[in-house]
Amino acid sequence: DSGVTQTPKHLITATGQRVTLRCSPRSGDLSVYWYQQSLDQGLQFLIHYYNGEERAKGNILERFSAQQFPDLHSELNLSSLELGDSALYFCASSVTGQLSGEKLFFGSGTQLSVL
Amino acid sequence: TQLLEQSPQFLSIQEGENLTVYCNSSSVFSSLQWYRQEPGEGPVLLVTVVTGGEVKKLKRLTFQFGDARKDSSLHITAAQPGDTGLYLCAGGDSWGKLQFGAGTQVVVTP
């Protein structure tokens, strides 16, 4: 158990809908990262939050948004869903997010299926 | 487009054999990490290498970081079925942006 909690574990929805994925980092970790994993694209970095502020952005679509709340949990919002958004979404946390090579702890992921 | 290229994509070997997987990039990384991911789970960190030419050993696993800090290899000696998994390398080139390779799927059969 990494200590990172993601909910829900599975999500099935239809095209055009909006969903929210939730992540609770390990106790004491200030940084939260979101990744998307699909068979053809591998593990793609989406966004990184540190202590409530956005720190780095990766290949995140404009239809997607995220935030980190004062209690440090994070939510990833996916809207106007398309079939191609079907993937495994991972959240990871680290202590500071400031050190190169700092260990990331990953949750078990949310499997999103868009039908 | 993957900044980190991993090879091979898939490797199937018998228990007791050795294997090597590679991670290459045209970019220089300040650090490189190796993770292993099992089905239904998130990646778990195995090792971090930060110095060019660095070699780290973790039981039967040997990790090497290239002198120019652009490439890395993972060697497993006497592989066991428990080594089965997706091996991912990840490069950190700036704060907050850790990029992953596509991974090498390793299958070790008894």
Side-chain angles (χ1 to χ4, degrees), chain A residues 30-34 45 47-57 60 65-69 72 74-75 92 94 96-97, chain B residues 96:
Chain A
L30 298 177
S31 272
V32 169
Y33 308 75
W34 286 97
F45 169 73
I47 199 162
H48 168 206
Y49 277 85
Y50 170 73
N51 204 22
E53 294 188 3
E54 182 186 304
R55 300 310 289 180
K57 243 180 181 178
I60 188 166
S65 65
Q67 54 183 326
Q68 187 180 27
F69 295 87
L72 301 177
S74 179
E75 293 181 356
S94 67
T96 69

Side-chain angles (χ1 to χ4, degrees), chain A residues 34-78:
Chain A
W34 286 97
Y35 285 86
Q36 178 194 58
Q37 188 174 40
S38 59
L39 288 175
D40 58 341
Q41 291 291 321
L43 202 60
Q44 296 287 319
F45 169 73
L46 296 178
I47 199 162
H48 168 206
Y49 277 85
Y50 170 73
N51 204 22
E53 294 188 3
E54 182 186 304
R55 300 310 289 180
K57 243 180 181 178
N59 303 321
I60 188 166
L61 300 172
E62 286 190 10
R63 299 183 286 108
F64 296 0
S65 65
Q67 54 183 326
Q68 187 180 27
F69 295 87
D71 67 353
L72 301 177
H73 92 271
S74 179
E75 293 181 356
L76 179 66
N77 300 295
L78 315 177

Side-chain angles (χ1 to χ4, degrees), chain A residues 35 37 55 97-98 100-101, chain B residues 2 30-31 33 37 95-96 98:
Chain A
Y35 285 86
Q37 188 174 40
R55 300 310 289 180
Q98 297 183 44
S100 180
Chain B
Q2 295 284 355
S30 55
S31 67
Q33 298 179 321
Q37 184 180 14
W95 177 37
L98 188 66

